[in-house]
Amino acid sequence: MILTLTPNPSLDLTIALAGPLERGEVQRAVAASEHPGGKGVNIVRALAASEFDALALLPGDPSDAVVRALELESIPHLSLPIGATLRSNVAITEPDGTTTKVNEPGPTLSAAQLVGLLELAVAKSDGASWLVLAGSLPPGAPADFYAQVISAVRTRYGAAAPRIAVDSSGTPLAATVAGAPDLLKPNAEELAELSGMGDGASLEADPALAASAAQSLVDQGVGAVLATLGAKGAVLVSTAGRWLAKAPVIAAKSTVGAGDSALAGYLLSTLRGDGPEACLKQAVAHGAAAASLPGTLVPALHQTNPSAVEVTALAPDKES
Ligand SMILES: O=P(O)(O)OC[C@@]1(O)O[C@H](CO)[C@@H](O)[C@@H]1O
């Protein structure tokens, strides 16, 4: 089973425009859709669509729109009541696939509620294959909240602990590196910030540089880094090697949730017992399929085409 923890989930509203976004103008939308979101929620939506056993843990009252949407869509979840309304995030998509995202901060969680979420993650980790710590942290959470969860789960289960993946950003992501998670899934910008090498644009343009940046995290004890590089594809770096997967050419409709789908594809591929190259292929196939769907729709396995993804091994850095 794949377990995800999303401390700051959202109701994702996607608004599609008929033309480019014009700042300061009134524009008419041609379509709008709403889905329960947050990175870990999207990962479970993608896994459930492919009938993989997955469970999303999140804060949220039974009456909250996010929790009700999860019920309605039959997405496996367990929510911890917090007595506050979860956030709404907005994505505006243009016909060429350009997506502008505005995310609310989310409700403040008390120390007791955060302990409740951490304890829920520890309890539900029993027998799980993966635990994914996903998304931003809500106001009130300490920056090392994910690091605390990693430590608590490993203390509780030792060698039987699930493998731990982190899909976050900024300080909450950086604070997990010392805890040696099994997998990090940064995008180019997050990888640049985390490694101190280049910037988002330069890592997307130069996958070898992205691989070097990922290597610097593996050298610090991270099990593997799956770095998504937008339309360029993704690189996977671990002690076993480094690979680049080129993304197939697609007509992008909305990139929201593409990275989450890529991680879902990678995780389900590990559960099939695939090797690193096949896992990377499935990740990029899932990400591409998600980007070609409108809004935050996530693909099922049968909607992905891993055979269209080309994977090549990358040479190690000269000094490593
Ligand atoms: O504000 P965060 O937690 O970093 O990201 C939240 C979010 O943008 O991530 C998902 C897409 O990856 C969306 O479902 C959601 O709105």
Side-chain angles (χ1 to χ4, degrees):
M1 200 253 291
I2 295 174
L3 191 65
T4 71
L5 174 65
T6 311
N8 201 8
S10 53
L11 190 66
D12 284 348
L13 171 64
T14 305
I15 297 171
L17 297 178
L21 174 67
E22 291 167 31
R23 283 183 65 206
E25 296 300 320
V26 173
Q27 286 178 269
R28 307 280 166 196
V30 288
S33 60
E34 229 172 46
H35 289 285
K39 299 189 194 312
V41 167
N42 294 337
I43 291 166
V44 170
R45 287 170 62 219
L47 291 166
S50 301
E51 290 174 16
F52 274 75
D53 189 15
L55 178 67
L57 306 179
L58 65 155
D61 296 343
S63 60
D64 193 279
V66 176
V67 178
R68 288 169 58 174
L70 286 170
E71 293 283 347
L72 214 66
E73 295 185 24
S74 302
I75 309 300
H77 66 281
L78 206 53
S79 61
L80 194 80
I82 53 165
T85 306
L86 295 170
R87 62 184 172 155
S88 296
N89 291 344
V90 180
I92 301 168
T93 61
E94 299 171 45
D96 68 354
T98 304
T99 306
T100 305
K101 195 92 171 56
V102 182
N103 290 2
E104 287 185 18
T108 300
L109 297 195
S110 68
Q113 288 166 341
L114 289 161
V115 169
L117 271 184
L118 180 146
E119 285 176 350
L120 187 62
V122 172
K124 290 291 160 187
S125 286
D126 194 2
S129 309
W130 282 96
L131 167 63
V132 187
L133 307 174
S136 61
L137 293 176
D144 69 346
F145 180 69
Y146 285 143
Q148 289 181 27
V149 177
I150 295 175
S151 161
V153 168
R154 289 188 174 154
T155 302
R156 170 77 178 77
Y157 298 103
R163 283 178 279 175
I164 296 179
V166 185
D167 181 5
S168 187
S169 52
T171 324
L173 170 63
T176 66
V177 172
D182 299 279
L183 178 69
L184 293 185
K185 205 247 32 96
N187 61 24
E189 212 171 298
E190 290 154 357
L191 179 59
E193 193 186 340
L194 199 54
S195 63
M197 290 171 71
D199 56 23
S202 62
L203 296 197
E204 275 193 13
D206 184 355
L209 183 61
S212 300
Q215 183 71 53
S216 71
L217 302 171
V218 171
D219 292 345
Q220 291 174 64
V222 172
V225 178
L226 169 66
T228 47
L229 306 176
K232 284 290 169 72
V235 295
L236 176 66
V237 176
S238 73
T239 48
R242 47 171 85 178
W243 298 269
L244 163 69
K246 284 198 190 138
V249 178
I250 53 150
K253 289 214 173 83
S254 163
T255 52
V256 183
D260 311 335
S261 290
L263 180 51
Y266 180 90
L267 296 174
L268 72 80
S269 194
T270 66
L271 291 195
R272 293 190 303 216
D274 295 342
E277 290 170 79
C279 290
L280 177 60
K281 237 180 208 229
Q282 190 60 56
V284 171
H286 253 79
S292 60
L293 292 171
T296 46
L297 284 178
V298 290
L301 201 47
H302 69 84
Q303 292 171 293
T304 70
N305 185 11
S307 58
V309 179
E310 189 192 318
V311 175
T312 49
L314 292 170
D317 291 334
K318 287 210 176 79
E319 66 273 23
S320 65

